[in-house]
């Protein structure tokens, strides 16, 4: 990994992101406890030497030996009580010096540092608000249940939490327990596990005893591999081959009785082994685990680094905060977040630092602010959510513009810098030349290869399919919005499946004519609550062919509902014109557009005899798949308008063959 990229990861996820730290350990004491213990000690001392009223002198030392002996015995008794109280307080402070060192370290780093001792009922909502959590693994003697439960709840929160597990237990053991526990539920019964696999269930019912007898428990490297990569990893195939070989090598093997186990059975046996490390019995959905053995684990919204406690001496105690800080950096580097994630996190850091809510630069003038509120309050309650979404776009655009231009375009320069730091030697740009495009094409391919290497979890082959997937994704990002509209509007891409055939459409009706409650002409009023809308019928093409002519603006690039990448031609390749159709969308005014689709009707003619026919309605279900961004939607609407506005040709064509010379006419005089 390039050193510049390492430094950026450290800066983004640790140095700039961490502003508050929470230590959770029942051996540590927060300030309130320290104040209370100090007060208790003062009270014990005052019992021996109470404060004298102003002007009063301490009692004189008695002269009589008997009185001296009595007073001395009373003093000794009070000293003994003080000794017991001091011992109790000292025992409770046994590791407070560690917390003090952490406090000094993080205060010097300009971070707020707090200590949580009440570990019996940890509140995840409170804990997650700290940027860094330093968590003792065993909060109740040798029981890690409380820590594991907290980690599980943090993993499903909406806030990314950094956690350092600070423990004197073996990191190898702790890593495996955390990973197995966060990964998922206790193992299902065979009937539940093989519910969709009757062949495996039948084999298991017939030979489960033999399978469990012959099965060799997973080694620790195999457990780690299975947890991180899951059933699809080659480790499963390797285990299956070995397992079947072990069964065949037994003296009791009978080829007529013993059947080769399926991959699902091997997976189930692996799950049984892994489940022994899952220390929480409560069920939950299975989660995917990323990580590196003994160093870090990432599950959902929690990133966990592991650090060993070394605080038995005063010298070790002083070095521990820096050791935890360095271990977190090591784990973050090993995690290797992608360019996309680094940039998003850096933007989050800058937004939190910028305090946009008080910025006069971002704030709109008074009339504009009043207008935004008015735009919501004046609408029907059923439409206020839509207007609020529009308002959100305005606010985010303000923030975007501010980030774009602030400090001499510091944020765009940062993004450029991070991109170039992902590789030691970024590919040198080569401009495109029509006469010799090969050097430029090689540069583009090299840039793509570098970009792929930044995304460590991508295991695809670097081949033509990968190239096309990335190019398609890029065009999709450029042209489509993330969310679907609540009604069909300009640029909505839909599909309908009639039998085995799938038809694709893009709406090209002007957006003002698609607003459900806005009836702009007589036809809209006649058909209400239905609406007559115009569409271009699209033609699906091979992705490779479409990408090769993508700059001709004849295609749209979308992802189908099932995740398949699709290229759709807008302009008919033969006629060079759009294929326009008109459909009546039923209940357009009263029904929201959902992923279940909406019914539309086309009108066709049934010929009964020459020159005569009847009209017939054909219903189809239009399912929304994507929404084009405004500029792209306007482009295809303009194509439709240009097509409908073309002028009819009023000249008469004539075709003449070559004519032989004729004799001149004879005039009758």
């Amino acid at each position: 990994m390039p050193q510049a990229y390492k430094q950026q990861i450290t800066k983004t996820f640790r140095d700039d992101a961490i502003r508050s730290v929470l230590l959770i350990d029942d051996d540590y004491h927060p300030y309130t406890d320290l104040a209370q213990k100090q007060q208790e000690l003062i009270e014990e001392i005052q019992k021996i030497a109470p404060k004298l009223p102003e002007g009063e002198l301490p009692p004189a030392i008695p002269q009589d030996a008997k009185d001296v002996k009595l007073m001395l015995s009373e003093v000794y008794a009070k000293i003994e009580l003080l000794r017991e109280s001091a011992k109790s307080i000292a025992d409770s402070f046994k590791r407070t010096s560690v917390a003090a060192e952490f406090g000094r370290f993080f205060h010097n780093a300009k971070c707020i540092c707090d200590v949580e001792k009440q570990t019996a009922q940890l509140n995840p909502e409170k804990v997650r608000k700290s940027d860094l959590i330093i968590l003792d693994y065993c909060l109740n003697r040798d029981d890690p249940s409380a820590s594991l439960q907290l980690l599980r709840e943090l993993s499903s929160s909406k806030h990314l939490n950094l956690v350092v597990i600070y423990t004197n237990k073996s990191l190898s053991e702790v890593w495996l327990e955390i990973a197995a526990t966060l990964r998922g539920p206790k193992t299902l019964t065979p009937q539940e596990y093989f519910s969709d696999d009757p062949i495996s269930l039948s084999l298991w019912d017939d030979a489960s005893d033999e399978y469990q007898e012959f099965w060799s428990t997973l080694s620790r490297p195999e457990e780690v591999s299975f947890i991180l990569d899951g059933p699809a990893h080659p480790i499963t195939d390797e285990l299956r081959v070995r397992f079947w070989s072990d069964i065949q090598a037994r003296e009791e093997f009978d080829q007529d009785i013993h059947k080769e186990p399926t991959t699902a059975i091997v997976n189930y046996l692996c799950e049984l082994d892994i489940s022994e490390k899952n220390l929480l019995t409560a069920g939950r959905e299975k989660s995917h685990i990323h990580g590196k053995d003994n160093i870090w684990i990432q599950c959902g919204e929690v990133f966990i680094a592991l650090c060993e406690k070394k605080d038995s001496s005063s010298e070790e105690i002083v070095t521990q905060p820096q050791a935890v800080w360095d271990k977190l950096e090591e784990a973050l580097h090993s995690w290797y977040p992608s360019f996309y994630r680094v940039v998003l996190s850096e933007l989050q850091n800058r937004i939190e630092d910028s305090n946009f809510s008080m910025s006069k630069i971002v704030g709109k003038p008074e009339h504009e602010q009043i207008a935004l509120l008015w735009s919501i309050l004046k609408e029907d309650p059923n439409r206020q959510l839509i207007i609020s979404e529009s308002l959100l776009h305005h606010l985010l655009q303000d923030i975007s513009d501010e980030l774009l231009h602030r400090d001499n375009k510091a944020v765009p320069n940062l993004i450029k810098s991070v991109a170039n730091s992902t590789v030691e030697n970024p590919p040198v740009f080569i401009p495109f030349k029509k006469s010799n495009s090969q050097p430029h094409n090689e540069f583009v391919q090299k840039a793509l290869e570098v970009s792929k290497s930044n995304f460590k979890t991508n295991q695809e082959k670097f081949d033509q399919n990968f190239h096309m997937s990335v190019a398609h994704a890029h065009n999709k990002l450029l042209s489509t919005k993330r969310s679907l509209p609540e009604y069909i509007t300009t640029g909505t891409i839909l599909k309908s499946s009639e039998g085995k055939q799938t038809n694709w459409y893009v709406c090209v009706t002007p957006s003002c004519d698609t607003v459900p409650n806005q009836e702009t002409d007589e036809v809209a009023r006649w058909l209400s609550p239905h609406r007559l809308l115009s569409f271009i019928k699209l033609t699906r093409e091979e992705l490779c062919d479409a990408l090769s002519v993508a700059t001709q603006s004849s295609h749209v690039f979308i992802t189908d509902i099932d995740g398949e990448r699709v290229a759709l031609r807008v302009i008919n390749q033969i006629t060079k014109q759009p294929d326009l159709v008109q459909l009546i969308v039923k209940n357009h005014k009263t029904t929201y557009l959902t992923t279940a689709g909406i019914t539309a009707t086309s009108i066709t003619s049934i010929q009964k005899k020459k020159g005569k026919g009847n009209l017939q309605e054909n219903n189809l279900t239009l399912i929304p798949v994507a929404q084009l961004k405004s500029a792209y939607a306007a482009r295809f609407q303009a194509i439709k308008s240009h097509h409908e506005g073309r002028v009819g040709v009023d000249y008469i064509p004539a075709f003449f063959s070559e004519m032989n010379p004729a004799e001149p006419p004879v005039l009758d005089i």
Side-chain angles (χ1 to χ4, degrees), residues 67-134:
D67 292 339
V68 170
K69 186 176 181 181
L70 180 61
M71 177 179 285
L72 189 58
S73 64
E74 291 176 354
V75 170
Y76 278 173
K78 291 180 179 179
I79 291 176
E80 187 59 30
L81 291 174
L82 180 60
R83 182 181 292 111
E84 292 178 2
S85 178
K87 181 178 181 301
S88 174
I89 294 173
D91 289 343
S92 68
F93 282 3
K94 58 184 176 181
R95 298 193 68 247
T96 299
S97 57
V98 179
E101 284 297 334
F102 275 102
R104 279 191 288 270
F105 179 87
F106 287 113
H107 286 314
N108 289 336
K110 298 180 175 61
C111 295
I112 299 170
C113 185
D114 197 7
V115 176
E116 178 63 69
K117 179 191 175 187
Q118 302 300 325
T119 57
Q121 293 180 332
L122 291 171
N123 186 338
E125 283 300 308
K126 174 185 175 182
V127 172
R128 72 170 184 81
K129 293 178 182 178
S130 297
D131 298 316
L132 174 62
I133 301 153
I134 301 175

Side-chain angles (χ1 to χ4, degrees), residues 620-667:
L620 61 152
T621 301
L622 296 177
I623 298 175
V625 179
Q627 176 64 38
L628 293 175
K629 291 180 180 178
S630 299
Y632 292 84
R635 170 189 293 168
F636 298 127
Q637 184 194 332
I639 290 173
K640 172 252 189 185
S641 299
H642 180 269
H643 176 79
E644 291 183 334
R646 64 194 188 283
V647 178
V649 178
D650 54 357
Y651 293 102
I652 299 174
F655 301 95
F656 300 96
S657 59
E658 187 174 343
M659 301 178 63
N660 294 324
E663 292 292 332
V666 178
L667 300 177

Side-chain angles (χ1 to χ4, degrees), residues 232-272:
H233 192 268
I235 184 69
T236 306
D237 295 329
E238 296 171 12
L239 291 171
R240 182 184 176 191
V241 171
R242 187 185 72 191
F243 184 36
W244 180 232
S245 178
D246 290 345
I247 293 175
Q248 291 174 310
R250 298 282 180 133
E251 292 183 4
E252 303 89 344
F253 177 74
D254 186 335
Q255 61 182 3
D256 295 328
I257 298 175
H258 298 100
K259 304 298 181 182
E260 183 176 1
T262 63
T263 299
I265 287 175
V266 174
N267 285 332
Y268 185 62
L269 291 166
C270 291
E271 293 285 0
L272 291 175

Side-chain angles (χ1 to χ4, degrees), residues 273-306:
D273 283 356
I274 298 299
S275 69
E276 295 180 4
K277 306 297 189 300
N278 184 349
L279 303 185
L280 295 182
T281 56
R284 61 168 286 177
E285 293 296 323
K286 183 173 290 186
S287 301
H288 192 72
I289 300 294
H290 303 279
K292 186 171 183 181
D293 193 14
N294 296 341
I295 299 178
W296 64 275
I297 297 168
Q298 186 260 318
C299 176
E301 294 302 318
V302 65
F303 179 87
I304 305 162
L306 276 64

Side-chain angles (χ1 to χ4, degrees), residues 481-496:
K481 296 182 178 181
R482 182 175 180 179
S483 58
L484 294 171
E486 293 187 334
Y487 57 88
I488 297 176
T489 187
T490 316
T492 305
I493 298 175
L494 310 104
K495 71 174 183 178
S496 68

Side-chain angles (χ1 to χ4, degrees), residues 314-416:
S314 57
E315 291 79 9
E316 289 178 335
I317 289 175
V318 172
T319 63
Q320 282 305 280
Q322 187 65 53
V324 168
W325 201 236
D326 293 343
K327 181 61 70 172
L328 178 59
E329 180 180 47
E330 178 190 350
L332 290 170
H333 290 173
S334 176
W335 176 34
Y336 197 92
S338 67
F339 162 78
Y340 180 80
R341 188 149 195 170
V342 171
V343 169
L344 280 184
S345 297
E346 185 64 37
L347 287 176
Q348 180 179 342
N349 292 339
R350 290 176 181 249
I351 289 173
E352 290 178 357
D353 283 342
S354 295
N355 191 19
F356 287 122
S357 63
M358 299 298 291
S359 173
K360 294 182 180 179
I361 300 175
V362 173
K364 290 182 178 295
E366 290 181 2
H367 289 165
E368 279 78 356
Q369 292 185 41
I370 294 170
L372 290 175
L373 174 58
W374 178 58
S375 69
I376 298 174
L377 298 181
K378 74 181 181 62
E379 290 292 337
D380 185 298
N382 293 328
R383 281 189 45 79
Q384 287 185 346
L385 179 60
I386 299 174
I387 304 302
S388 297
E389 291 176 355
S390 176
L391 173 58
L392 178 60
H393 285 297
H394 283 294
L395 298 176
L396 292 177
Q397 187 62 52
D398 287 343
I399 294 175
S400 174
D401 291 343
E402 172 66 4
L403 286 173
L404 180 63
H405 299 290
R406 174 176 285 192
D407 299 331
N408 196 24
K409 296 191 175 182
V411 173
N413 281 314
L414 166 76
I415 295 174
K416 173 186 173 183

Side-chain angles (χ1 to χ4, degrees), residues 493-554:
I493 298 175
L494 310 104
K495 71 174 183 178
S496 68
S497 297
E498 313 303 328
K500 295 183 179 180
Q501 183 178 357
T502 299
N503 294 318
W504 295 85
Y505 306 90
V506 58
C507 178
V508 287
T509 300
S511 58
C512 59
D513 291 340
T514 67
V515 178
N517 293 318
Q518 188 169 294
E519 298 170 352
T520 56
D521 54 33
E522 287 295 329
V523 174
R525 287 188 282 275
W526 291 341
L527 291 176
S528 181
H530 316 308
R531 186 68 58 89
L532 180 65
L533 300 178
S534 297
F535 298 85
I536 296 177
K537 191 173 183 180
L538 309 173
T539 304
R540 182 166 179 174
E541 286 196 350
E542 291 294 328
L543 186 55
C544 182
D545 296 336
L547 287 171
S548 66
V549 293
T551 56
Q552 295 179 6
S553 304
S554 297

